[in-house]
Amino acid sequence: QVQLVESGGGVVQPGRSLRLSCAASEFSFRAYPMHWVRQAPGKGLEWVAVDSFDGNYIHYADSVKARFTISRDNSRNTLYLQMDGLRPEDTAVYYCVREGGADCRFDYWGQGTPVTVSS
Amino acid sequence: QSVLTQPPSVSAAAGQKVTISCSGSSSNIGQRHVSWYQQLPGTVPKLLIYENNKRPSGIPDRFSGSKSGTSATLGITGLQTGDEADYYCGTWDGSLSAGVFGGGTKLTVL
């Protein structure tokens, strides 16, 4: 059974940094594009970033561009999200998501890790 | 403001049918496949429909999807109280080079 387990969330002050991790198992991690999707409290889903099979195809939402960095270590089956310059509006549950088919077919989601940005 | 537009809420009686619309543009729905997700209260989103009208294993055929031009529609027949959830459409936007979602639709089964 595919598993995606996020970690690294927490409470952080505005302007500080956090690094999220997503440990993947029970599938060929290197064969799939991986995404981060977030959901602010009481709000809808917001796509954050994508890292392709080998890291050569990376894109970000405008809201996080130049502040967040997505990366992956295929040897460790792990996806990362480095979040710098955090803002209160970044407060959300962050989901690690597998793209199982074209055009953002998100077939497996992690349980999410909460991030709260507050002074 | 979401790139894809969904009605904030829909409602229908148990046993009836409901449809949820998702409107986009030529850079997303117009040239891409659409997926639909169900998020039951307090849970993680789950893939309901992919490639406009395909159901993953385990999704009952009460759920259906369609696409026409720059719009997509999710249909649910034989509504059950257990279908009360938030429903999201999503796809890739080639102009933005970004994933995009609708704002979500809250389904209430009366």
Side-chain angles (χ1 to χ4, degrees):
Chain A
Q1 177 73 322
V2 170
Q3 282 208 321
L4 299 169
V5 180
E6 303 94 336
S7 61
V11 180
V12 62
Q13 294 179 327
R16 304 299 289 262
S17 298
L18 270 181
R19 188 196 199 201
L20 306 183
S21 298
C22 170
S25 59
E26 303 304 324
F27 69 100
S28 180
F29 178 73
R30 63 179 65 245
Y32 291 86
M34 296 295 296
H35 300 245
W36 289 98
V37 173
R38 69 184 181 183
Q39 187 169 32
K43 302 297 184 181
L45 302 175
E46 180 186 11
W47 177 82
V48 173
V50 58
D51 188 325
S52 66
F53 317 93
D54 56 7
N56 287 331
Y57 184 86
I58 290 178
H59 293 282
Y60 300 94
D62 285 345
S63 58
V64 307
K65 206 169 289 185
R67 299 188 299 121
F68 290 12
T69 303
I70 189 173
S71 62
R72 63 193 295 163
D73 184 340
N74 287 336
S75 67
R76 296 177 182 268
N77 291 343
T78 302
L79 180 73
Y80 302 101
L81 186 67
Q82 176 67 40
M83 305 186 294
D84 299 321
L86 282 161
R87 304 167 179 168
E89 55 264 35
D90 295 319
T91 294
V93 173
Y94 285 73
Y95 296 104
C96 168
V97 186
R98 188 181 88 166
E99 181 175 355
D103 301 332
C104 295
R105 183 206 305 183
F106 297 144
D107 59 353
Y108 286 96
W109 297 62
Q111 285 301 305
T113 186
V115 172
T116 301
V117 184
S118 173
S119 54
Chain B
Q1 202 81 330
S2 301
V3 173
L4 306 181
T5 301
Q6 298 180 233
S9 63
V10 295
S11 62
Q16 296 303 303
K17 173 182 178 178
V18 71
T19 60
I20 298 173
S21 60
C22 175
S23 177
S25 69
S26 59
S27 62
N28 43 65
I29 293 178
Q31 55 182 255
R32 303 282 179 168
H33 292 307
V34 177
S35 295
W36 288 91
Y37 304 90
Q38 177 193 59
Q39 187 174 32
L40 296 168
T43 70
V44 174
K46 179 175 74 172
L47 180 65
L48 206 58
I49 297 287
Y50 67 96
E51 291 182 8
N52 308 323
N53 56 19
K54 296 180 171 64
R55 285 176 286 107
S57 173
I59 301 299
D61 59 7
R62 300 189 298 106
F63 295 91
S64 64
S66 64
K67 190 187 97 166
S68 177
T70 59
S71 293
T73 302
L74 173 69
I76 311 173
T77 59
L79 278 170
Q80 304 171 1
T81 56
D83 296 330
E84 289 199 330
D86 294 320
Y87 293 84
Y88 297 90
C89 56
T91 187
W92 182 257
D93 189 298
S95 293
L96 298 174
S97 290
V100 289
F101 287 104
T105 299
K106 183 176 184 61
L107 169 64
T108 300
V109 179
L110 303 172

